[in-house]
Amino acid sequence: HWRPRGTGVALVSHQMQPRHEFRAHTAEIELFLAAPDLRSLFVEAGRALAELMAGEPLVPSGEAVEVAVRAEDREALLVGWLNELIFRSERDKRIYLAFELEQLTPRSLIARIRGAEPRTLKTAVKAATFHLLKIVEAGSGFTATVVLDV
Amino acid sequence: MTAMDLTRARRIDEVTWELGTEYAPGMIVPVRFLADELLVGQIGTDRSLEQLINVAMLPGITRFAIGMPDLHEGYGFPVGGVAATLTPDGVISPGGIGFDINCGVRLLATNLELARITPWLETFVHELSRAIPTGYGRHGRLVLERHQLERVLLEGAGYVVRELGLGVPADLTRCEGSGQLPDAEPAGVSARARERGEDQLGTLGGGNHFIEVQRVVQLYDEPAARAFGLFKGQLTVLIHTGSRGLGHQVCLDHLGVMDRVSGSYGFTPPDRQLACVPFGSPEGRSYFGAMCAAANFAFANRQLLTHRVRQVLGRILGPHFPHPVASTVYDVAHNTAKLESHGGRLVCVHRKGATRALGPSGFELPDVYRGVGQPVFIPGSMGTASYVLVGTDESAELSFSSCCHGAGRALSRTAAKHQVQGHVLRKELEARGIVVRCPSNLELAEEAPAAYKDIDRVVEVVARAGIARKVARLEPVGVLKG
């Protein structure tokens, strides 16, 4: 089975499928991510954030907007990407849930994102943190851990 | 998760435990934590002590890193963690304050008895939920002009009372620091932070923020209760919120800077979230000034919510009672760094999920509380009691004049949702006469009493440790969840 996940990358059956889990953390939320490549890892991070924030199924609407993020390293870039989405969600009162990564380097990304206005906000996410932050290159892809302050 | 070897913890007294500097390489000072046997067991189940050990490695830390009885795992510092660093060379770390700068509580004491307002209780709570926005709600916000936001950042609650006329002078005298941290430097508050905050004054936010309507059910210290304006059967309102997105962005901006420059000051933190710089460095001063400005935004936010509560009180209960009043008992911060004098040294006290608790001779106390001590509030979880305590002079020596800020989480949100069904909890709370306003049953389950430590036990440890004394017990009758 394979299915495109919005990254433009076709995934074959032996590859790691993009996925995420919200793991137990006493006060906050520990987000675990796995994906066959860094692009889909970053996209999956955005999807996980949207799932956490939205209390209802949402359909993206409106024009895509361009987002550029720079950071010191790829781990900080993942945190910066999530914090950019959190900032825009709070400012625009929208949840961003469709992502196209146009450029991704270890220290920068450019993406086009689309969102929807939710009726309610399920979980208010304050920030993505550096705590326990890691991106690990596994045999068939990448995994990452990020703790979100909620 | 690494299991802590607590057999190496030294018991100093019945509720004070210590891990010496030999416990882990890099520790500069010991780690202390306040707990009874059961709480020790709970603390040992998450990473909170590992995080406190990391805190004990911060350059310039003095005496000890200490965990309050509600200690639990956070990020950077644990929640319930307190540490003092020597100034100007010791460090300041945004991870020791958290993203929700000056998240805190304000208690309002009405001149009404709950028993007399019961017929209007549900309407009162419902109207609070209509007047006070949660989540992305747009109603009720105070949208600030640029120059107004600047004044809020500088003047805190004082701007809301003096310039906007939304409050009374006693609201200010009964706030920690009169509702204003004097070292605020708005220049360190970025355009992004201002953008996040410009329409968030007067909003509750989400997560564990709440407004709780309560009844005073028991007095333990009548003179102190009288000084605080509390009496048995009284209707009170507790407001718990902070600096909202503005504060989150201030932390984020300055944490990013410190993450880049920590190494140039010769320190690589054991946890990247503990990025830090010397207090007296340009980056340290810039963060401290911005953090104080965000704290002022939070004081102003709680002042505005106080005004909203009074509006609703007047509208709903005014027709039935002459002159309903809600007076500020006190407003205290949970997540701050403050310059304080301890042991004759000027130190930067980081309190992350902890509250200041001055004793009767605390010089910063308002006149009305001199000789009594600072009111300390320990909210329980939704559906359980909250406590009003009073700080002791001994807390200066024991905990840098600090106390715990709540019951403390015992279960993750995921575990809470597995153990508790939100709709069942809602019915249970309603059956007990508690009016609940929370749109989602899942969110309700996340904040269920089972997810928290036993508040009675936590408060008992506080009292046995001698950092605060019990004054009153309050039980919830209405909850508006953020």
Side-chain angles (χ1 to χ4, degrees):
Chain A
H1 306 282
W2 70 269
R3 54 191 173 130
R5 299 278 304 205
T7 60
V9 179
L11 308 173
V12 292
S13 60
H14 62 273
Q15 283 185 310
M16 183 189 286
Q17 295 294 304
R19 67 185 174 90
H20 64 263
E21 291 170 27
F22 299 112
R23 293 184 168 172
H25 181 291
T26 311
E28 315 299 350
I29 286 179
E30 189 176 316
L31 170 61
F32 173 80
L33 301 159
D37 53 64
L38 280 173
R39 276 177 177 264
S40 43
L41 188 84
F42 275 66
V43 168
E44 192 65 17
R47 287 200 177 110
L49 181 66
E51 181 187 315
L52 189 61
M53 295 168 88
E56 59 198 319
L58 296 171
V59 178
S61 62
E63 290 289 304
V65 291
E66 188 174 288
V67 169
V69 183
R70 299 184 66 80
E72 285 296 290
D73 49 51
R74 72 180 182 187
E75 283 79 8
L77 188 65
L78 179 60
V79 165
W81 163 239
L82 288 168
N83 281 323
E84 181 71 24
L85 296 173
I86 292 166
F87 164 74
R88 286 174 181 269
S89 290
E90 196 167 297
R91 183 194 61 182
D92 305 338
K93 317 289 186 273
R94 292 173 76 78
I95 292 175
Y96 289 94
L97 62 157
F99 314 97
E100 279 181 46
L101 245 63
E102 295 187 338
Q103 186 189 101
L104 179 67
T105 76
R107 296 178 62 173
S108 69
L109 67 79
I110 297 174
R112 294 182 68 77
I113 63 173
R114 293 177 72 212
E117 192 171 331
R119 279 179 305 167
T120 58
L121 181 66
K122 185 181 75 172
T123 305
V125 182
K126 295 172 191 165
T129 77
F130 286 126
H131 181 59
L132 302 177
L133 174 65
K134 61 183 175 193
I135 297 178
V136 177
E137 192 164 356
S140 55
F142 292 83
T143 63
T145 306
V146 191
V147 172
L148 304 173
D149 184 356
V150 295
Chain B
M1 196 179 300
T2 314
M4 292 293 300
D5 179 10
L6 292 180
T7 57
R8 289 166 61 195
R10 185 169 72 91
R11 195 168 193 169
I12 294 176
D13 59 38
E14 59 174 350
V15 292
T16 309
W17 306 72
E18 183 172 284
L19 297 170
T21 52
E22 72 286 354
Y23 193 88
M27 286 173 70
I28 298 168
V29 293
V31 157
R32 284 192 181 177
F33 54 102
L34 305 175
D36 63 11
E37 285 83 355
L38 191 135
L39 292 174
V40 167
Q42 286 181 325
I43 288 168
T45 61
D46 69 15
R47 287 174 282 228
S48 48
L49 282 177
E50 290 170 54
Q51 293 177 338
L52 205 53
I53 287 167
N54 289 340
V55 173
M57 299 176 187
L58 292 176
I61 187 169
T62 182
R63 298 197 60 212
F64 42 69
I66 183 162
M68 298 292 115
D70 58 343
L71 188 73
H72 59 280
E73 180 182 6
Y75 51 86
F77 270 48
V79 182
V82 176
T85 51
L86 298 168
T87 62
D89 297 330
V91 297
I92 184 167
S93 173
I97 293 100
F99 285 97
D100 200 356
I101 294 166
N102 190 4
C103 176
V105 289
R106 178 181 290 205
L107 182 67
L108 305 176
T110 73
N111 56 348
L112 300 168
E113 287 180 49
L114 176 79
R116 296 186 62 206
I117 70 110
T118 305
W120 302 280
L121 176 64
E122 184 158 3
T123 309
F124 178 56
V125 178
H126 178 69
E127 290 301 314
L128 284 177
S129 75
R130 291 186 60 198
I132 294 170
T134 58
Y136 284 163
R138 292 169 194 269
H139 62 286
R141 296 165 183 272
L142 183 68
V143 181
L144 297 172
E145 301 287 334
R146 187 173 295 182
H147 73 278
Q148 290 181 303
L149 179 56
E150 194 76 6
R151 299 259 324 254
V152 166
L153 295 174
L154 278 170
E155 299 172 43
Y159 179 76
V160 178
V161 172
R162 289 187 295 265
E163 294 296 321
L164 304 181
L166 307 178
V168 294
D171 289 334
L172 301 180
T173 53
R174 295 182 181 210
C175 275
E176 180 175 346
S178 301
Q180 177 197 23
L181 297 189
D183 294 310
E185 288 289 351
V189 178
S190 69
R192 281 202 152 198
R194 290 162 192 258
E195 216 175 330
R196 280 176 88 160
E198 67 186 6
D199 69 345
Q200 289 189 331
L201 209 59
T203 66
L204 193 59
N208 61 352
H209 292 164
F210 62 80
I211 290 181
E212 189 170 274
V213 182
Q214 309 161 316
R215 171 183 49 185
V216 178
V217 293
Q218 193 171 351
L219 300 179
Y220 304 95
D221 181 337
E222 298 220 3
R226 207 162 31 250
F228 296 166
L230 299 174
F231 58 86
K232 204 168 169 185
Q234 184 179 24
L235 177 77
T236 60
V237 180
L238 190 68
I239 299 168
H240 178 215
T241 190
S243 52
R244 310 284 289 106
L246 182 139
H248 309 163
Q249 192 66 39
V250 164
C251 179
L252 204 58
D253 293 338
H254 290 265
L255 184 66
V257 172
M258 293 194 194
D259 181 55
R260 287 195 294 278
V261 305
S262 263
S264 68
Y265 288 102
F267 179 63
T268 304
D271 172 356
R272 205 167 167 179
Q273 190 69 26
L274 285 177
C276 54
V277 294
F279 183 89
S281 67
E283 297 88 354
R285 300 298 312 188
S286 175
Y287 168 66
F288 184 63
M291 188 274 303
C292 290
N296 288 344
F297 187 87
F299 281 129
N301 194 27
R302 291 195 288 275
Q303 181 62 42
L304 196 60
L305 291 183
T306 297
H307 174 68
R308 298 275 184 249
V309 169
R310 286 173 178 156
Q311 282 181 317
V312 173
L313 190 76
R315 197 167 70 243
I316 304 304
L317 299 178
H320 310 285
F321 302 94
H323 314 303
V325 170
S327 306
T328 299
V329 177
Y330 205 64
D331 182 312
V332 69
H334 290 163
N335 296 344
T336 56
K338 296 186 79 175
L339 284 175
E340 296 175 7
S341 178
H342 288 277
R345 303 286 301 267
L346 187 65
V347 295
C348 176
V349 182
H350 297 66
R351 295 187 178 96
K352 167 88 174 288
T355 170
R356 197 190 62 175
L358 294 178
S361 44
F363 81 97
E364 238 197 78
L365 284 177
D367 289 345
V368 67
Y369 296 146
R370 273 189 205 286
V372 179
Q374 179 205 304
V376 173
F377 309 126
I378 306 191
S381 60
M382 193 173 348
T384 64
S386 297
Y387 283 85
V388 177
L389 289 82
V390 62
T392 64
D393 286 335
E394 292 74 30
S395 70
E397 178 69 17
L398 295 168
S399 61
F400 300 105
S401 300
S402 306
C403 187
C404 65
H405 85 316
R409 284 197 81 94
L411 293 180
S412 70
R413 287 170 170 81
T414 313
K417 282 185 284 196
H418 282 138
Q419 285 195 15
V420 180
Q421 289 184 291
H423 69 280
V424 175
L425 174 62
R426 188 184 293 271
K427 281 187 180 159
E428 282 175 7
L429 293 172
E430 286 169 355
R432 287 171 49 203
I434 301 173
V435 181
V436 179
R437 286 293 175 273
C438 172
S440 155
N441 284 332
L442 276 177
E443 281 184 81
L444 201 61
E446 288 178 0
E447 298 297 320
Y452 284 81
K453 295 176 186 177
D454 177 352
I455 183 75
D456 298 327
R457 182 177 287 273
V458 166
V459 167
E460 201 53 45
V461 170
V462 166
R464 283 160 70 188
I467 56 178
R469 292 194 330 271
K470 287 196 280 188
V471 173
R473 178 182 162 95
L474 286 51
E475 286 185 352
V477 293
V479 180
L480 166 61
K481 190 186 170 308

